[in-house]
Amino acid sequence: MCGIIGYSGHRPAIPAIVEGLHRLEYRGYDSAGVAFQYGDALRVIRAEGKLGALDQKIAGLDIASSVCGIGHTRWATHGLPVERNAHPHMDPGNGFALVHNGIIENYAELKADLVAHGHSFRSETDTEVLVHLIAQGAEQTDNVLQAIHWALQRVEGTYAFALISREHPGKIWASRKASPLLLGLGLGEHFIASDIPAFLPYTRDVVFLDNDEIVEIDAHSWQVFDAATLEPKSKEVRHISWDVQAAQKDGYKHFMLKEIFEQPKVIRDCLAGRIREGQVSLPEAENLDMPQRLTIVACGTSFHAGLWAKYLLESWARIPVQVEIASEFRYRDTVFLPGDLVLTISQSGETADTLAAIRIARDAGVPILGLCNVVGSSIARESDHVIYTQAGPEISVASTKAMCSQMIVLVLLTLYWCQRKNMLTRDELAARLDQLTSVPSILESALPALRDQAQNLCLDYADARSFFFLGRGLYFPLALEGALKLKEISYIHAEGYAAGEMKHGPIALVDAHFPTFALAVHDELLPKVASNLQEVQARGGRIIALMNASAPLTVTSPWILPDVWGAFKSFMVLPAVQLFAYEMAVYLGKDVDQPRNLAKSVTVE
Ligand code: M6R
């Protein structure tokens, strides 16, 4: 939530910063701003609304001489999304400008204290308190690092911030606690940002900052300090393999569509090097004891991937599994048992609730395996073991290819544990892996027709205000995912339900205006699903049903999927529900990649 960027180098800072903000806009988009050195003063330009509004304010300004600055794109937590609350914020003396991602939890008491010392505030944000506090620290020392150190000792909460000072042109300071922050190292230029795509056109050499570190940069130097002691620290520089193209739309109208169509490649990338001679090779899991019980913790779409994997882990590998929503898990007094393993799943690797779950497990002495997409993210670094899902940058707020990659890695992990427990013969395992490797090409051929079908269905169902998504077994979590996708980008109310649970209440809602989207593929539960759909039809409900030609059902709108082996039918169902939501949102004229009220990575509670 919120994207921050800082630049110090040889090129005009504001175009580079604004370009970076566009690449970070997925993190928040209710207002934006930049601050930079302008003559002897700091200048701040801010605008309410999406970045386009800031672009317009900046266009035509004579600011090319500025080679250092900071920028922010906001997802509001404290204070309305209006210009006065947009970042950067300044101290009363206009000596500092600061951008912040996170929440200063004790801001109310800090603010009261500052007001008592004569400070007046220009916004309702928690962030403004932080810049006032740093300025207060600077009254006692002209060393900005010391002033930040002084302020951070008083602050509780989470933050990643970047700061510039009127008295120190060309310098930027930044620090983090539980919100992401990275350093990009170019030639004669350095960046600070919330995420790699912000500076990807300029450099792929990255330093991941850890909690409680402060970094000081200018165009030619950078140094990381321990925030508690101000001792310099040495840090590893990592070269990132992502390319600029991976973070661009590549001719697609929306990132979401591009990312849905990337799924065959994502599956191939996930499988690459992980299947050898009919066996699963997962070195990341080799040092883990076989879990006696697995607790999967995640949020949103990643939670659905975990719920889906539970069916496989239990039935194939015979491992007891519980799947928990991280925001609930963190406040329950969970009972851990010897032999437990906590598996966290996260695309961004920065989701605050999932991170909190990791810390709870760690404090309880339970080993943690993290599944995440973003290399070097907080979850990756705080887990004992990490498996990267290799989906490449996912920009659209609605997660699509990340879930596909998580499911593939979860299949591999399940089969890996089957292998270790000798649950399958060598031939059975090799056959299952063969079936898995055939999925990408089948999906690749199927995607254009899936999209056409989704487009056609929108014409018939765009008037619906509510949808049920029904499935059983493996297809129940995918029904939850289909409903989540539809509501988050098309704003149509949708409920994912276990098909067998309908008659316990929800079926009362069914009528001709409340359609059902059924996941009714050909598996052993199909006869049960078919009965549940009969019950819906008997009450006048219209039904779209994903199904296989080998077991067709008579419904209002049949949607035939290519047939693939057993559980891997899921890899056809997933893009179908994604495309349905996508086409519906496009048809209804919604902002697909940046749906209202949302942000890509949820780094606050
Ligand atoms: O980065 P994470 O996988 O931890 O994110 C979890 C959820 O915030 C995320 O899946 C969210 O639900 C998406 N908007 C769903 O499309």
Side-chain angles (χ1 to χ4, degrees), residues 299-302 345-351 354 397-399 406 481 484-485 488 598-602:
C299 299
T301 291
S302 299
I345 307 176
S346 173
Q347 187 285 128
S348 62
E350 299 294 347
T351 300
T354 311
V397 167
S399 183
Q406 290 162 352
E481 177 60 9
L484 174 61
K485 284 285 97 67
E488 77 174 324
L598 295 180
K600 179 74 180 160
S601 108
V602 184

Side-chain angles (χ1 to χ4, degrees), residues 47 154 175 195 236 319 513 569:
R154 283 149 183 83
S175 181
D195 198 359
E236 186 191 351
I319 297 171
H513 308 289
K569 290 181 176 59

Side-chain angles (χ1 to χ4, degrees), residues 123-376:
S123 78
E124 291 94 57
T125 63
D126 52 329
T127 303
E128 196 182 348
V129 168
L130 183 55
V131 67
H132 280 231
L133 214 53
I134 292 171
Q136 201 180 36
E139 285 166 12
Q140 294 146 46
T141 162
D142 59 359
N143 181 323
V144 178
L145 202 58
Q146 298 272 8
I148 294 172
H149 169 72
W150 183 88
L152 292 186
Q153 286 176 326
R154 283 149 183 83
V155 161
E156 288 165 21
T158 59
Y159 50 78
F161 69 81
L163 174 91
I164 53 173
S165 157
R166 184 183 57 211
E167 306 308 326
H168 302 84
K171 283 207 181 292
I172 305 177
W173 294 264
S175 181
R176 66 161 287 193
K177 181 178 230 145
S179 296
L181 197 61
L182 329 149
L183 187 57
L185 307 178
L187 273 179
E189 57 186 353
H190 291 134
F191 296 80
I192 279 160
S194 306
D195 198 359
I196 296 166
F199 51 67
L200 211 45
Y202 305 103
T203 180
R204 286 194 258 160
D205 290 331
V206 174
V207 174
F208 294 99
L209 292 178
D210 285 307
N211 283 338
D212 301 311
E213 290 180 341
I214 304 173
V215 62
E216 181 179 302
I217 65 166
D218 59 28
H220 303 288
S221 68
W222 61 276
Q223 178 65 57
V224 175
F225 301 90
D226 183 306
T229 62
L230 295 190
E231 287 296 317
K233 291 179 79 172
S234 59
K235 300 285 293 181
E236 186 191 351
V237 180
R238 297 179 61 174
H239 190 73
I240 297 299
S241 58
W242 292 3
D243 60 14
V244 181
Q245 201 186 9
Q248 285 173 345
K249 280 190 203 154
D250 225 2
Y252 286 90
K253 191 170 174 207
H254 298 103
F255 278 113
M256 183 177 177
L257 187 62
K258 176 190 175 223
E259 288 161 6
I260 292 172
F261 271 76
E262 271 175 351
Q263 289 177 113
K265 175 181 183 303
V266 164
I267 298 175
R268 287 190 187 104
D269 290 350
C270 275
L271 295 177
R274 286 172 169 163
I275 299 177
R276 295 210 176 118
E277 294 165 10
Q279 299 260 302
V280 180
S281 165
L282 266 188
E284 304 93 324
E286 267 167 21
N287 294 330
L288 272 172
D289 291 338
M290 268 310 299
Q292 301 307 306
R293 186 180 69 155
L294 192 62
T295 300
I296 301 180
V297 191
C299 299
T301 291
S302 299
F303 168 73
H304 296 154
L307 214 50
W308 179 84
K310 173 185 166 80
Y311 290 82
L312 296 187
L313 286 156
E314 290 186 342
S315 118
W316 295 2
R318 305 302 295 149
I319 297 171
V321 179
Q322 54 189 33
V323 190
E324 307 262 359
I325 294 170
S327 54
E328 288 297 311
F329 173 86
R330 67 182 291 185
Y331 292 114
R332 273 212 343 268
D333 206 358
T334 303
V335 179
F336 291 108
L337 300 171
D340 271 0
L341 174 69
V342 165
L343 169 66
T344 56
I345 307 176
S346 173
Q347 187 285 128
S348 62
E350 299 294 347
T351 300
D353 288 320
T354 311
L355 259 174
I358 287 183
R359 289 169 192 153
I360 288 166
R362 193 176 52 209
D363 291 348
V366 178
I368 302 142
L369 171 61
L371 230 71
C372 68
N373 189 36
V374 177
V375 176

Side-chain angles (χ1 to χ4, degrees), residues 25 53 91 125 199 211 244 258 329 365 395 401 471 504 511 526 538 549 554 573 599:
E25 201 178 11
D91 64 301
T125 63
F199 51 67
N211 283 338
V244 181
K258 176 190 175 223
F329 173 86
I395 309 289
K401 63 173 179 170
H504 298 288
D511 64 20
L526 180 61
T554 307
V573 168

